[in-house]
Amino acid sequence: MNRRNFLQKGSLAAATVFILPKGIKQDNKPSVYTSTAQSVDADTHVFYKLSVYHTAIQNLKAAADNEKIITLGAQTTAATDPEIIKESSEFKYKITDSKLVNAEEGQWQVKAKADSKTGGFKLPEDLGKKMNLACTLNVSASIDSKKDYPLVVLTYHDPSDDDGMCFLTTACVHHKGLPDNCEELTTLRFLRDGYMTADAEGRQLIKEYRITGPAIIHAVNRFSNKADIYEYMYNHLVQPSVQFVQHGRYAEAVDHYKSFVQAIQKEYCQE
C-alpha cells in the first residue's frame, strides 16, 4: 500500500489546514562516529567520538576550511562505572587527502595531520601527528595503525537515535520535558493499543508509523528551529488528539493524526 495514499484516507475526510512553521535549515554539521569502551588499564576505559564533515571527504577541494577539520574526542571513565568521568580530551586533525576506494560500499580513505589538542589524555603511539581514516559513510569509521589492524573502530551515530523512534514522544518528553508516562502519551497509547489494534486499517497505520516516525524525526532535526516545530506538534497534534480520545471520539483522533502527518510529510520530508 502506498503510504501517502493510506495517510490521506480517513472516515471523516478531515479538511483541517495546518500552518506548520517553515523549517530553517541549519548550517552544515559534521557527522559523528562513536566507539565502544576500550581498556586503558585495569582501572580506566576510554570512549572515542569522531566528528567529520562528509562534504569534505567527498569533495575536499570545494570544502570550507572548517569542514576540513576532523575532531577526535577521548573520554576516560572508571572501568567499573562509565558514569564516572575521569578526563575529556580533544584532538583536531586537518584533512590533507581523501579518495574513494570502494564506490559500491561508499568507503573512503582519508589522510589528515595533527592541528591542535586540549586535555592530557595520551593517544596511542601510532596516532600522533598523522591520522589514516577509513570511512564508510553513515556506517562506520576506523583509525588505522601503521600495522595491519585498526587502532580505533567507530560506528556512525544517527542523530535521530537521540530522540527515539516516535515524534509524539519527542514532542512530549524531549521537547516539553514531560515524563514518559505523562497523561498525553498514556492517552495516545490507549488509543493505539485499544481502538486502533482492533481494526485492520488501524493496525496498518501503526505499521506505517514505524516508518514515518523515524523519518519525520530525522527530517525535523535538520532544522535549527526544530523546537518551534515540536511545539507546534504538541499544540496542534498531541493536545487535540488527546481531547478527542478523552471524549470518546476515537475515529476523529485517528483522522486528525493522519491529516497532520500528511501535512508534516509535505512540508518537511519532500527533499
Side-chain angles (χ1 to χ4, degrees):
M1 179 183 293
N2 181 279
R3 181 163 66 254
R4 188 174 301 282
N5 290 339
F6 176 76
L7 290 171
Q8 289 176 338
K9 292 171 61 179
S11 58
L12 302 178
T16 306
V17 176
F18 299 103
I19 312 299
L20 291 159
K22 190 70 177 177
I24 302 172
K25 289 186 177 180
Q26 304 183 77
D27 293 335
N28 186 30
K29 287 190 172 183
S31 295
V32 175
Y33 296 79
T34 58
S35 77
T36 55
Q38 294 188 10
S39 177
V40 175
D41 54 44
D43 300 317
T44 307
H45 283 168
V46 60
F47 295 85
Y48 290 102
K49 176 180 177 180
L50 184 140
S51 300
V52 58
Y53 286 90
H54 286 170
T55 49
I57 290 179
Q58 295 172 301
N59 192 344
L60 183 59
K61 290 183 179 180
D65 287 343
N66 69 297
E67 294 177 340
K68 297 177 183 178
I69 299 297
I70 296 175
T71 302
L72 179 66
Q75 186 176 81
T76 56
T77 68
T80 56
D81 187 351
E83 297 296 322
I84 302 176
I85 298 173
K86 293 186 174 182
E87 183 179 34
S88 294
S89 298
E90 187 175 87
F91 306 84
K92 292 185 181 296
Y93 290 78
K94 187 172 183 179
I95 300 176
T96 56
D97 185 48
S98 178
K99 64 180 179 180
L100 182 64
V101 294
N102 190 324
E104 185 175 343
E105 295 183 6
Q107 187 179 69
W108 293 76
Q109 186 179 73
V110 182
K111 294 184 178 181
K113 64 179 181 180
D115 186 71
S116 64
K117 65 169 288 188
T118 57
F121 179 73
K122 187 177 181 180
L123 291 170
E125 290 184 4
D126 280 357
L127 181 56
K129 295 183 178 181
K130 294 182 179 180
M131 174 189 288
N132 291 313
L133 179 72
C135 185
T136 301
L137 303 187
N138 299 320
V139 178
S140 63
S142 63
I143 300 173
D144 297 331
S145 68
K146 296 176 182 178
K147 302 174 184 177
D148 295 328
Y149 61 88
L151 285 170
V152 182
V153 177
L154 309 105
T155 303
Y156 175 68
H157 176 76
D158 189 338
S160 67
D161 289 345
D162 293 337
D163 294 317
M165 302 291 283
C166 174
F167 63 87
L168 297 174
T169 300
T170 300
C172 291
V173 177
H174 297 281
H175 173 66
K176 298 297 289 185
L178 301 173
D180 187 65
N181 63 345
C182 63
E183 181 182 16
E184 291 89 337
L185 291 178
T186 300
T187 301
L188 296 178
R189 288 164 183 158
F190 168 81
L191 175 71
R192 178 195 65 194
D193 298 336
Y195 176 79
M196 294 179 69
T197 56
D199 175 78
E201 186 180 36
R203 291 193 295 272
Q204 179 63 29
L205 185 58
I206 294 171
K207 182 179 179 181
E208 295 286 346
Y209 183 72
R210 297 192 184 102
I211 300 173
T212 59
I216 288 172
I217 290 173
H218 179 74
V220 171
N221 284 353
R222 295 176 304 152
F223 301 117
S224 60
N225 63 328
K226 65 180 182 180
D228 295 334
I229 298 172
Y230 285 126
E231 179 72 16
Y232 189 91
M233 285 186 188
Y234 179 79
N235 291 329
H236 294 84
L237 171 58
V238 174
Q239 288 192 321
S241 297
V242 168
Q243 291 176 12
F244 280 135
V245 174
Q246 290 176 340
H247 288 85
R249 297 158 63 182
Y250 305 133
E252 290 177 76
V254 173
D255 199 65
H256 182 76
Y257 162 79
K258 289 190 290 187
S259 297
F260 197 97
V261 169
Q262 180 186 345
I264 293 174
Q265 290 180 314
K266 182 177 180 181
E267 181 68 29
Y268 304 128
C269 303
Q270 294 300 305
E271 295 183 2

